[in-house]
């Protein structure tokens, strides 16, 4: 101690650190101003919005039945002859045709779900292409179409019940720009994009329930689908990724919001050899549920087992705009056997999602259930790049052709012994009118599925700070740049800062408040706290030299990261 020097509790540097901390916390409270998010971009440029129109379909069956092939040789000829409100009833057979439906209010029904087969022969585009309101399709299989199996586009009122879609190359069962719908008791496999898809609707007023999706790029995908949309009580297995609501600029009505994913059994996703996929699907590899740029949605009461990467992953989405995820709740899920982590929350700009009551063993970052609690503390998360680095690495793998590819039709085939429409040809003829309003459906009654007795949990994969070492070159490279480097700065830089601070206090060069304030800042603001100390708190070099060294280090890191992303074909 210098002669005559006394230890001070507060000094000019103590006031300075408090001011810096206040400024940083204020910045965190309002978001990172220099970045334009998708929501901010949309606020100034209102996109064209599809008009939601009232249904043109009649409300009841006319009593008329068009029989195929007894009265009409093809399904298309029967559909063309039908009047609004008619029933088209199809006898067993393999029908090598594609059917366009432009008459509202039809019910198209197969006599036997497993023996009424619409076959695209790997040459026709869509199995059923519906552009009329109120059309229901029941008890039919569509296979081998080069685009979609069952497709509703721009309609009010749709229903797909007891359908089977096999090897329909883009989507199996698909609704786009359509509202007031139901997919139920159906099966989809062999689609490189998604088995089930609901996109570009707000409010969607749609339910997907009691379905099975396997051997697809994604089990379910929903781009810009929002408002009263329920993905519930279904099974999603052996896909590249499970359930993926998402936001993109390529469709209208961003961002996706107010989606409920509940009561599902989601297991063994992360299929690499038996499921077709492309870049976007591969980026969701091994996750049970991914909320990508999605807001104000709920994932609850799901059973997730042995997914190769994670149970639930919440990340932002980068397209023409940056779409921040935020306001999502992940509650009361049971998650076991995840290869990477059961719960994952990605930065850098995630906006207030939370986790509560989950029966989970691991998370990235750590302590999500505690530090981002829906019912307690929910800290800002702007640093969690470990989660975000993995999908970027998967995109690079796909860009380099490193994601395994299947040819159309190479996915495993199911046995055609699926449940039939109850009462078969005698079932009540119900048009797809006021579908959502008529459902006997209470989402509050959804509970977590029971764990099957014979399930054995997989061991987690070897990882360092959430970066899986066996994921491949690109995910590990991006994890190193985007997570290990910041973690090293935080850990080793924090130790260096603490050493300098408390040696300064011992030598009476710093007050106790200064040392405590900087130490707290370094700990609670990962990376940023260390960088702030290096510029404003460290006295070993002139301020100008400190700024130059810091800016130079950040520029080198940013350049290395950007260069790696460009090298990998991400940008």
């Amino acid at each position: 101690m210098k002669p005559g020097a006394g230890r001070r509790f507060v000094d000019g540097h103590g006031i300075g650190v408090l001011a810096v901390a206040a400024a940083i916390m204020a910045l965190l409270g309002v978001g990172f101003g220099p970045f334009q998010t998708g929501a901010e971009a949309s606020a100034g440029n209102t996109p064209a919005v599809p008009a939601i129109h009232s249904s043109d379909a009649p409300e009841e069956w006319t009593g008329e039945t068009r029989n195929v092939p007894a009265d009409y040789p093809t399904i298309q000829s029967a559909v063309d002859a039908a009047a609004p409100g008619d029933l088209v009833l199809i006898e067993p057979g393999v029908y090598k045709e594609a059917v366009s439906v432009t008459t509202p209010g039809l019910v198209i029904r197969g006599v036997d779900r497993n023996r009424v087969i619409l076959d695209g022969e790997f040459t026709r585009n869509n199995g059923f292409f519906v552009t009329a309101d109120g059309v229901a399709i029941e008890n039919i299989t569509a296979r081998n179409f080069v685009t979609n199996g069952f497709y509703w586009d721009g309609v009010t009122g749709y229903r797909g019940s007891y359908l089977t879609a096999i090897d329909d190359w883009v989507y199996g069962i698909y609704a786009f720009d359509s509202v007031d719908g139901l997919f139920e008791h159906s099966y989809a496999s062999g689609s490189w994009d998604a088995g089930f898809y609901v996109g570009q609707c707000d409010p969607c007023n749609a339910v997907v329930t009691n379905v099975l999706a396997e051997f697809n790029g994604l089990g379910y995908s929903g781009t810009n689908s929002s408002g009263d949309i329920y993905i519930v009580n279904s099974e999603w297995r052996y896909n590249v990724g499970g359930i993926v609501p998402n936001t993109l600029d390529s469709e209208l009505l961003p961002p996706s919001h107010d989606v409920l994913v509940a009561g599902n059994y989601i297991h063994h996703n992360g299929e690499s050899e038996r499921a077709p996929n492309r870049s976007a699907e591969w980026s969701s590899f091994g996750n049970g549920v991914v909320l990508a740029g999605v807001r104000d949605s709920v994932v609850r009461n799901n059973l997730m087992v042995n997914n190769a990467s994670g149970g639930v992953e919440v990340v932002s989405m980068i397209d023409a705009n940056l779409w921040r995820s935020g306001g999502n709740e992940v509650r009361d899920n049971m998650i076991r056997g995840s290869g990477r982590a059961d719960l994952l929350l990605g930065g850098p700009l995630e906006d207030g999602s939370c986790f509560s009551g989950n029966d989970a063993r691991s998370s990235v970052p750590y302590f999500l259930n505690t530090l981002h609690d829906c019912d307690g503390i929910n800290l800002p998360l702007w640093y969690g790049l470990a989660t975000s680095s993995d999908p970027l690495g998967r995109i690079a793998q796909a860009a380099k052709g490193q994601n395994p590819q299947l040819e159309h039709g190479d996915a495993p085939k199911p046995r055609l012994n699926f449940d039939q429409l109850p009462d078969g040809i005698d079932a009540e003829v119900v048009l797809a009118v006021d579908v959502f309003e008529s459902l006997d459906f209470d989402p509050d009654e959804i509970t977590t599925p029971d764990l099957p007795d014979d399930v054995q949990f997989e061991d987690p994969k070897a990882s360092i700070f959430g970066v899986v070492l066996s994921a491949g070159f690109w995910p590990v490279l991006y994890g190193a740049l985007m997570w290990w480097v910041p973690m090293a700065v935080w850990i080793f830089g924090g130790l260096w800062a603490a050493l300098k601070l408390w040696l300064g206090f011992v030598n009476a060069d710093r007050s106790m408040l200064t040392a405590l304030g900087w130490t707290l800042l370094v700990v609670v603001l990962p990376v940023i706290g260390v960088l702030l100390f290096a510029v404003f708190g460290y006295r070993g070099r002139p301020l100008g030299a400190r700024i130059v060294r810091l800016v130079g280090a950040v520029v080198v890191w940013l350049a290395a990261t950007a260069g790696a992303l460009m090298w990998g074909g991400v940008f």
Side-chain angles (χ1 to χ4, degrees):
M1 182 181 296
K2 297 178 181 179
R7 295 185 179 179
R8 296 165 294 169
F9 184 72
V10 64
D11 60 13
H13 289 280
I15 296 172
V17 73
L18 292 177
V20 171
I24 291 296
M25 296 311 292
L27 181 62
L28 290 173
V30 301
F32 282 68
F35 294 90
Q36 185 181 43
T37 65
E40 292 162 353
S42 295
N45 300 283
T46 303
V49 177
I52 298 175
H53 59 269
S54 59
S55 176
D56 292 332
E59 295 184 359
E60 296 181 350
W61 177 35
T62 61
E64 182 72 27
T65 300
R66 311 282 179 165
N67 293 286
V68 180
D71 300 325
Y72 302 90
T74 64
I75 301 171
Q76 185 66 67
S77 62
V79 166
D80 290 342
D86 284 358
L87 169 67
V88 175
L89 187 64
I90 309 167
E91 292 292 328
V94 177
Y95 296 85
K96 298 178 180 181
E97 57 179 305
V99 180
S100 176
V101 184
T102 58
T103 302
L106 298 186
V107 175
I108 303 172
R109 174 182 296 172
V111 169
D112 186 314
R113 174 182 179 180
N114 301 310
R115 295 191 299 135
V116 176
I117 300 173
L118 195 66
D119 194 341
E121 300 184 289
F122 302 104
T123 60
R124 300 176 182 90
N125 284 331
N126 297 295
F128 285 92
F129 180 36
V130 182
T131 55
D133 297 338
V135 173
I137 306 177
E138 307 168 337
N139 227 37
I140 296 173
T141 293
R143 70 186 185 194
N144 306 335
F145 287 90
V146 298
T147 310
N148 312 298
F150 301 89
Y151 177 21
W152 288 260
D153 187 356
V155 307
T156 296
Y158 62 92
R159 178 168 57 83
S161 302
Y162 296 88
L163 302 178
T164 302
I166 302 171
D167 290 332
D168 301 312
W169 195 219
V170 182
Y171 300 113
I173 302 175
Y174 174 30
F176 179 77
D177 191 20
S178 298
V179 299
D180 190 29
L182 172 67
F183 293 150
E184 61 173 352
H185 301 288
S186 295
Y187 172 90
S189 68
S191 297
W192 68 256
D193 196 313
F196 293 85
Y197 183 97
V198 177
Q200 190 178 286
C201 48
D202 186 6
C204 296
N205 294 337
V207 176
V208 179
T209 184
N210 293 295
V211 304
L212 170 60
E214 62 182 359
F215 305 118
N216 301 286
L218 303 176
Y220 168 85
S221 177
T223 300
N224 302 356
S225 49
S226 306
D228 283 328
I229 180 164
Y230 301 89
I231 316 302
V232 298
N233 298 332
S234 298
E235 185 173 2
W236 315 85
R237 68 187 186 192
Y238 309 127
N239 304 286
V240 174
I243 300 172
V244 188
N246 60 87
T247 297
L248 291 172
D249 291 287
S250 57
E251 296 183 12
L252 301 178
L253 305 178
S256 181
H257 62 87
D258 293 288
V259 180
L260 175 66
V261 178
N264 298 285
Y265 182 29
I266 308 166
H267 63 103
H268 294 93
N269 293 289
E271 181 60 54
S272 60
E273 301 296 334
R274 298 180 295 172
N277 66 89
R278 296 290 185 271
S279 177
E281 295 71 37
W282 188 249
S283 71
S284 298
F285 173 85
N287 290 292
V289 177
V290 180
L291 301 182
V294 175
R295 304 191 65 85
D296 303 322
S297 296
V298 177
V299 179
R300 65 167 177 83
N301 295 104
N302 299 284
L303 174 63
M304 307 184 200
V305 177
N306 293 341
N307 293 294
S309 182
V312 182
E313 178 178 275
V314 182
V315 291
S316 296
M317 176 67 84
I318 300 176
D319 197 12
N321 292 290
L322 171 64
W323 296 99
R324 299 170 62 184
S325 61
N328 303 296
E329 296 186 5
V330 180
R331 291 179 172 270
D332 304 321
N333 301 282
M334 181 178 179
I335 311 173
R336 291 288 188 276
S338 302
R340 187 182 182 203
D342 294 333
L343 301 170
L344 301 103
L345 184 60
L349 296 174
E350 206 288 325
D351 187 21
S353 295
C354 64
F355 299 75
S356 184
N358 297 290
D359 185 355
R361 304 289 177 85
S362 59
S363 68
V364 174
Y366 303 130
F367 312 118
L368 282 182
N369 271 331
T370 301
L371 299 179
H372 304 278
D373 187 353
C374 299
D375 302 314
I377 297 172
N378 188 11
L379 298 177
L381 177 66
W382 47 273
Y383 60 90
L385 291 173
T387 297
S388 302
S389 66
D390 187 77
L392 291 173
R394 301 288 178 183
I395 292 172
Q397 286 179 330
K400 300 298 183 180
Q402 296 172 4
N403 55 322
Q405 291 293 305
L406 270 69
E407 296 297 324
H408 187 186
D410 284 351
K413 306 297 183 289
R415 294 180 60 189
L416 290 178
N417 60 353
F418 294 102
D419 291 342
Q420 302 282 345
L421 176 71
D423 299 324
I425 61 173
D426 296 322
E428 181 182 2
V429 179
V430 180
L431 281 58
V433 177
D434 295 328
V435 176
F436 187 76
E437 183 179 330
S438 66
L439 293 177
D440 183 13
F441 172 69
D442 185 355
D444 293 335
E445 294 181 355
I446 296 174
T447 59
T448 306
D450 294 330
L451 181 68
D453 293 333
D454 59 348
V455 173
Q456 295 183 345
F457 302 135
E458 301 287 344
D459 294 327
K461 298 177 181 178
S463 64
I464 299 176
F465 293 122
V467 178
V468 176
L469 300 180
S470 61
F473 173 76
W474 295 103
V476 172
L477 174 64
Y478 292 166
L481 288 169
M482 301 174 68
W483 189 236
W484 289 349
V485 169
M487 284 291 290
V489 170
W490 186 24
I491 294 171
F492 296 111
L495 292 173
W496 166 77
L499 179 64
K500 294 295 183 181
L501 286 165
W502 292 102
L503 282 177
F505 171 66
V506 169
N507 294 326
D509 291 333
R510 297 182 186 273
S511 69
M512 180 178 291
L513 181 59
T514 300
L516 285 173
W518 275 116
T519 301
L520 180 64
L521 196 68
V522 166
V523 170
V524 301
L525 290 181
V527 183
I528 298 296
V530 173
L531 299 181
L532 288 171
F533 173 77
V535 173
F536 299 106
Y538 178 54
R539 302 172 180 173
R541 284 182 169 79
L543 177 61
R546 282 177 267 161
I547 293 174
V548 169
R549 289 166 67 94
L550 173 63
V551 171
V554 171
V555 167
V556 168
W557 175 72
L558 289 173
T561 302
L565 292 170
M566 294 176 66
W567 179 30
V570 176
F571 299 124

